[in-house]
Amino acid sequence: MLLDWMPFDWILVAILALFALGPLAVTLRRWPNFARVLVYGGAGIASALICLAALLLLLRQGNAVAMWLPIGLPATALDGAGMIGGAHLRLDALGAFFLAVTSLGGVAASIYGLGYGRHESAPLRVLPFYPVFLAGMSLVIVADDAFVFLFSWELMSLSSWAMVLAQHRDAANRHAAFVYLCMASFGTLLLLLAFGLMSGGSGGFDFAHLRENSGGMNSLVLALVLIGAGSKAGLVPLHVWLPLAHPAAPSHVSALMSGVMTKVAIYGFIRVVFDILGAPEWWWGLPLIILGGLSAAFGILSAMMERDLKRLLAYSTIENVGFIFVGLGLALTFTGNERASWAALAFAAALFHVFNHVLMKGLMFMVAGAVLAATGERDIDRLGGLIHRLPQTAALALVGALALSALPPLNGFVSEWLTFQAILVSPELDPWALRLSIPAVGAVLALAAALAAATFVRAFGLSFLGRPRSTAAADAREVDGFSRLAMGCLGLLCVFTGIFPGFVIDALAPILGDLFGATLPRQDLSAWFTLTPISAERSSYNGLMTLLFIALSGGLAALIIHRLGSHRVRRAPAWDCGFPEPSPLTQYSALSFAQPVRRVFGSIAFSARERVTMPAPGDLAPARLEVSMTDHVWQSIYGPVEAAVNRAADRINLLQFLSIRQYLALVFAALVILLTVLAIWG
Amino acid sequence: MFHGLDLDIAHLLAGSLVLVSFMLLYQGRLLGVINIFAFHAWVLAAAVAWQAFIQGAPHLYITAAIALLFKGAFIPYVFHRLVRRMGLHRQIETVVGIGLTMLLGVALVALSIVIILKATRNTELLLLAREDVAFALSVVLLGLLMMVTRRNAVSQVIGFMSLENGLILAATGAKGMPLVVEISIAFSVLIAIIVIGIFLFRIRERFDTVDVEVLDTYRGEKP
């Protein structure tokens, strides 16, 4: 009986179960340990169910499944004769892919939470919201009318806001939560306006109706959705909340927010722009490409300057979202210029990067959580030498860092390589604006990729290599089994998809067919798992061969060095083991490692200034090096807005202190003004 | 159906109501205001009765009777007693000067006439009542103006009552109003006058005045 159910039914049951887990956690507040196991265990099982069902739908390559539930607002859709209410749900190949990816992140975060949740000081500030957050994200993806979409979008924002505020006694977290709330409401407002424009007063808000009802304001809708969904995804200059809010949440929630929630935002963007709006103009991709390139460069530069491990990862998210948006922009550009097969390539690159980023950013936030749990530190200047204390976490951190640095043979390389393949075909386009700008953005992306490598060398090297910079780092202990299991699964998947990317590309085929009517060549037919996005003559990549080559050459080099280099007799001072000065302060610090990049790029991007104070000869005071950096985005955009809002609020405050007669006079004046307007223009 | 003279008399009565509203606005003494308010109600009763006559709608006579009894006799009587028991037969100060208030009133009448004539341009049904509705809106706006310009709580309440008279005029002019609505409005006004009367006494008991400006000092927000 139950086995007859469609996968979509299973997904809805799992979402309902997630919704039910939230209130259940509240009733179990007396038994926090039991509540933790129940919530994370239950959320993990429900997410796994969603993931399997979505994968089944995606791989079966069937038609979209739709469902109508009689709950919700009374009039959400036009149905032939009149309005019908209720909630419209639908899952097509695109939705199934995103659902599988997000719930995969949910599974990993839930397993991680089983162990990591023990360190939570106030578990009830996280437990009730966690499953609701997962349910909200899944519901965004299965929504098929604007009401369900916006409702679940807000649910996702609010429940994650509550978890950002979990450590509410810290003033920085309260500030982060406030900024997050403002930006989330702003983004949703714009999405609301976008849906209103698309509906165009016809009253129908189901996506099927919006698809047919193409209003004349599609460019405006694109701008609204780009800002609305882009602010959630973290596009520069709408990213300001992201490096504040993502690190403030508990680490498994950070992994979800950074790895998964930004992807849900990207899904919303794709759903509206690629699916609902229909045929794009030739220039639509351009703002996406430029903002994406800007985000990639700015995000990774900020990450390079950052000392806080979790904030560094949040900035790296901005970079990766930039990469994804460049891919989407290219797909939009190619579609607008009638190059369907190239559009399919760029879109596949973007979706592949979405998948990869869920894996690697999830993994790295979990590593940051493990470091935090083991040492209590997030500042990489107070870590070091953790490879000896947390060997397994260190190995997984290395996998994550390599993947995020886009090094072969890991998965991050494949998707960025695909993006560059799409950029490299763009000079064959006709409009000159595109021919010139896309390669320029390509150069920016190449710079971002190189800086990403530097950033993660710095992050990994300072935290895991060298000698401990604090006693907390020296006394660290390996984290619990659940955390290592979750990180291990993600790490394995990173390696697996890096070596066999063809499976992912083939799974994307129905999505590309739906949206562009073109697909990439079948990859499972090619020999030795070679990836050929366009044709074998043009370019191909073989992860397996690369892995073998790296393993062979690395092993050979190690062998040669050990056989030849280590055996030579060297003369050195006795007993100092190669370190003439025993203090850990002689090592590279976070500031010194970033100095070259800061001097070259930071002086422009952040107006970075260094000031050296040398004490006079004979003075015993230490010499000081002070670095000052300015956040131009905040100062030039958000600062003035904040000041204007404050000024307006001060003015409006006067209304609090009027007498009864003055209030009456206000009402009277409003009435008279409205009547006058009516008399003149009515 | 309606003769020219019928409409002329209806307009005359409605116009008189506006004129009496101006008298309310101008009158400075509290007892004078109450007397004029009684007169206001009589004119309203006459206007409503005339509407009942020309429309052939007998239930409007009841409306007229209610206006005459409650607003023309009972409420002024209550207010007279109130004012005498409080010993308030003095000059009341208006906040804006009399001349400016009258000018504002004239502007409001002009505004309401422009609006109503414009808004009902295409409505044949309401054609006979167009000017009536314009006058009624003027009465409403003048009542609001009176509430805003007066400081004394009693005259503010009278401003409110004259505003309500304007609403009645508009409703009866627009081809019949259900009797139930009229009666319920009359009763709510009656209850309002009782509640307001009690409140006036309570305010006076505590603060020794019914000047609403004085109350502001007790909100703790002004020094």
Side-chain angles (χ1 to χ4, degrees):
Chain A
M1 171 64 195
L2 282 176
L3 287 174
D4 294 341
W5 281 21
M6 296 280 294
F8 197 40
D9 299 311
W10 283 112
I11 291 172
L12 292 183
V13 167
I15 292 178
L16 272 183
L18 285 174
F19 272 125
L21 275 176
L24 201 58
V26 181
T27 59
L28 293 174
R29 63 182 178 281
R30 296 279 171 76
W31 305 278
N33 276 323
F34 179 59
R36 170 171 53 82
V37 173
L38 183 78
V39 166
Y40 291 127
I45 292 169
S47 298
L49 198 60
I50 297 177
C51 185
L52 285 179
L55 270 182
L56 208 61
L57 278 173
L58 183 65
L59 295 180
R60 219 165 47 183
Q61 310 199 348
N63 293 324
V65 280
M67 190 175 277
W68 178 79
L69 295 179
I71 44 173
L73 290 180
T76 50
L78 283 176
D79 185 33
M83 308 287 287
I84 52 167
H88 297 75
L89 307 174
R90 184 168 169 273
L91 197 63
D92 56 3
L94 177 70
F97 169 76
F98 271 95
L99 202 55
V101 168
T102 54
S103 51
L104 179 66
V107 174
S110 301
I111 297 175
Y112 186 81
L114 276 174
Y116 185 77
R118 274 187 215 133
H119 306 290
E120 205 64 59
S121 58
L124 274 166
R125 294 190 175 278
V126 177
L127 287 181
F129 303 110
Y130 179 82
V132 176
F133 180 44
L134 285 177
M137 291 195 293
S138 303
L139 207 55
V140 169
I141 296 172
V142 296
D144 197 36
D145 66 53
F147 287 105
V148 178
F149 184 91
L150 289 174
F151 172 77
S152 38
W153 184 277
E154 276 297 83
L155 198 65
M156 165 178 99
S157 300
L158 284 179
S159 50
S160 56
W161 170 78
M163 291 190 281
V164 167
L165 211 47
Q167 304 285 331
H168 67 290
R169 294 193 196 285
D170 189 347
N173 288 355
R174 289 201 298 273
H175 175 242
F178 178 70
V179 174
Y180 177 33
L181 197 61
C182 289
M183 291 300 288
S185 330
F186 171 70
T188 311
L189 172 70
L190 295 192
L191 286 180
L192 188 74
L193 294 179
F195 280 117
L197 274 182
M198 281 188 278
S199 172
S202 62
F205 285 97
D206 54 325
F207 288 171
H209 175 76
L210 295 183
R211 257 177 223 118
E212 292 157 17
N213 181 33
S214 65
M217 310 241 248
N218 280 353
S219 303
L220 187 59
V221 172
L222 174 77
L224 287 174
V225 175
L226 181 61
I227 300 175
S231 72
K232 194 95 194 141
L235 270 188
V236 170
L238 306 159
H239 67 283
V240 283
W241 63 275
L242 197 149
L244 299 174
H246 285 186
S251 293
H252 55 301
V253 180
S254 307
L256 277 184
M257 287 178 76
S258 223
V260 178
M261 190 174 70
T262 53
K263 308 306 169 300
V264 176
I266 288 167
Y267 163 80
F269 181 81
I270 293 175
R271 175 61 74 198
V272 172
V273 173
F274 284 84
D275 185 14
I276 295 178
L277 278 190
E281 308 274 340
W282 68 268
W283 54 269
W284 274 15
L286 214 50
L288 269 73
I289 294 174
I290 292 171
L291 282 184
L294 201 65
S295 302
F298 184 83
I300 203 62
L301 266 180
S302 307
M304 183 81 198
M305 302 299 136
E306 194 52 60
R307 275 172 58 177
D308 182 325
L309 195 53
K310 287 178 81 175
R311 275 176 68 106
L312 183 151
L313 292 173
Y315 275 120
S316 152
T317 295
I318 298 174
E319 180 230 347
N320 284 286
V321 165
F323 256 98
I324 293 166
F325 265 91
V326 170
L328 294 180
L330 287 172
L332 209 54
T333 308
F334 292 146
T335 319
N337 292 281
E338 282 139 18
R339 308 279 183 147
S341 59
W342 296 356
L345 167 65
F347 197 75
L351 288 192
F352 201 171
H353 204 69
V354 162
F355 176 58
N356 288 339
H357 190 241
V358 170
L359 298 179
M360 51 203 192
K361 194 46 64 70
L363 171 59
M364 279 312 272
F365 261 115
M366 289 177 190
V367 165
V371 169
L372 186 61
T375 65
E377 288 290 345
R378 276 161 48 175
D379 184 351
I380 52 178
D381 254 350
R382 298 180 54 77
L383 299 173
L386 290 182
I387 196 167
H388 302 296
R389 312 291 309 179
L390 316 168
Q392 296 177 8
T393 305
L396 291 165
L398 185 62
V399 171
L402 286 175
L404 275 169
S405 313
L407 289 179
L410 287 157
N411 56 351
F413 172 78
V414 185
S415 47
E416 295 199 8
W417 180 77
L418 282 175
T419 310
F420 282 112
Q421 293 305 312
I423 288 174
L424 288 177
V425 294
S426 66
E428 296 174 30
L429 285 173
D430 280 332
W432 273 99
L434 300 176
R435 275 201 218 182
L436 292 176
S437 56
I438 293 176
V441 172
V444 173
L445 286 193
L447 172 73
L451 284 175
T455 302
F456 285 99
V457 165
R458 171 174 175 264
F460 183 82
L462 287 174
S463 339
F464 288 95
L465 305 182
R467 283 171 295 158
R469 292 174 179 78
S470 65
T471 49
D475 299 338
R477 303 273 297 276
E478 183 64 279
V479 288
D480 57 280
F482 283 118
S483 301
R484 279 177 288 161
L485 175 66
M487 292 189 287
C489 291
L490 290 181
L492 264 183
L493 276 174
C494 279
V495 175
F496 179 79
T497 44
I499 298 173
F500 306 111
F503 293 121
V504 182
I505 298 289
D506 284 343
L508 297 178
I511 306 173
L512 304 175
D514 278 357
L515 290 179
F516 304 103
T519 54
L520 299 184
R522 286 282 300 264
Q523 304 298 331
D524 52 358
L525 303 176
S526 61
W528 293 103
F529 306 105
T530 307
L531 185 65
T532 46
I534 301 172
S535 61
E537 298 84 53
R538 194 163 181 128
S539 55
S540 61
Y541 166 71
N542 190 320
L544 193 60
M545 290 295 181
T546 317
L547 176 70
L548 288 177
F549 174 74
I550 290 175
L552 274 179
S553 57
L556 210 61
L559 196 72
I560 290 169
I561 289 170
H562 272 273
R563 274 290 146 87
L564 303 179
S566 307
H567 280 226
R568 286 186 37 202
V569 178
R570 286 174 293 174
R571 292 195 176 275
W575 311 120
D576 75 349
C577 303
F579 287 110
E581 169 66 52
S583 162
L585 287 176
T586 55
Q587 306 175 89
Y588 263 113
S589 71
L591 213 59
S592 61
F593 198 98
Q595 192 196 38
V597 175
R598 189 172 63 237
R599 284 199 174 158
V600 176
F601 299 105
S603 54
I604 303 164
F606 311 105
S607 301
R609 298 280 174 275
E610 292 178 9
R611 200 157 59 88
V612 182
T613 325
M614 288 298 271
D619 190 352
L620 292 180
R624 297 185 64 81
L625 169 69
E626 282 163 22
V627 177
S628 67
M629 288 198 276
T630 324
D631 187 347
H632 288 297
V633 176
W634 186 273
Q635 284 201 344
S636 57
I637 301 176
Y638 294 88
V641 171
E642 191 187 6
V645 167
N646 279 340
R647 271 201 303 279
D650 278 347
R651 295 279 155 77
I652 294 172
N653 224 357
L654 286 179
L655 290 183
Q656 289 275 352
F657 307 107
L658 298 183
S659 67
I660 303 165
R661 228 190 54 232
Q662 281 165 315
Y663 283 125
L664 264 180
L666 270 184
V667 173
F668 183 57
L671 180 64
V672 169
I673 289 171
L674 287 180
L675 286 178
T676 315
V677 168
L678 195 67
I680 296 172
W681 290 288
Chain B
M1 176 175 168
F2 295 105
H3 302 294
L5 186 65
D6 290 353
L7 283 182
D8 284 346
I9 291 177
H11 291 164
L12 175 71
L13 287 171
S16 318
L17 201 62
V18 177
L19 195 67
V20 181
S21 280
F22 272 105
M23 287 165 69
L24 271 179
L25 211 53
Y26 175 76
Q27 182 54 259
R29 282 174 299 127
L30 209 47
L31 284 179
V33 166
I34 295 170
N35 290 339
I36 295 172
F37 173 68
F39 185 49
H40 201 263
W42 298 342
V43 175
L44 175 74
V48 174
W50 184 254
Q51 287 286 346
F53 175 65
I54 61 171
Q55 290 182 19
H59 67 270
L60 284 184
Y61 285 119
I62 301 177
T63 309
I66 290 173
L68 197 65
L69 280 179
F70 280 152
K71 295 183 189 155
F74 179 67
I75 290 174
Y77 168 70
V78 171
F79 268 124
H80 262 282
R81 277 190 54 190
L82 262 173
V83 168
R84 286 193 192 284
R85 276 176 61 185
M86 291 182 182
L88 297 171
H89 347 274
R90 297 186 313 269
Q91 181 83 12
I92 47 168
E93 65 274 56
T94 48
V95 172
V96 190
I98 289 288
L100 190 56
T101 314
M102 299 308 274
L103 278 179
L104 271 175
V106 172
L108 288 177
V109 172
L111 178 68
S112 47
I113 288 174
V114 169
I115 284 175
I116 295 299
L117 293 190
K118 221 171 173 176
T120 58
R121 203 181 306 138
N122 303 320
T123 45
E124 297 295 322
L125 268 178
L126 281 169
L127 198 63
L128 60 119
R130 274 171 77 183
E131 286 81 2
D132 258 16
V133 175
F135 287 133
L137 183 62
S138 319
V139 173
V140 169
L141 290 180
L142 290 174
L144 260 175
L145 183 63
M146 182 166 170
M147 288 178 78
V148 172
T149 51
R150 297 301 172 98
R151 290 179 59 170
N152 190 296
V154 174
S155 46
Q156 282 188 350
V157 170
I158 287 187
F160 173 70
M161 298 270 164
S162 72
L163 183 155
E164 200 261 341
N165 283 353
L167 290 181
I168 301 272
L169 181 67
T172 52
K175 269 204 173 170
M177 174 174 69
L179 191 63
V180 185
V181 177
E182 160 60 20
I183 288 177
S184 60
I185 290 179
F187 270 104
S188 61
V189 169
L190 198 65
I191 288 165
I193 198 72
I194 294 165
V195 173
I196 289 167
I198 293 169
F199 262 96
L200 280 178
F201 268 106
R202 300 287 302 174
I203 291 170
R204 187 179 147 78
E205 226 170 68
R206 181 149 302 182
F207 302 112
D208 271 342
T209 176
V210 285
D211 186 337
V212 289
E213 294 280 295
V214 179
L215 300 186
D216 289 339
T217 48
Y218 293 96
R219 288 204 305 180
E221 285 155 359
K222 280 187 178 175

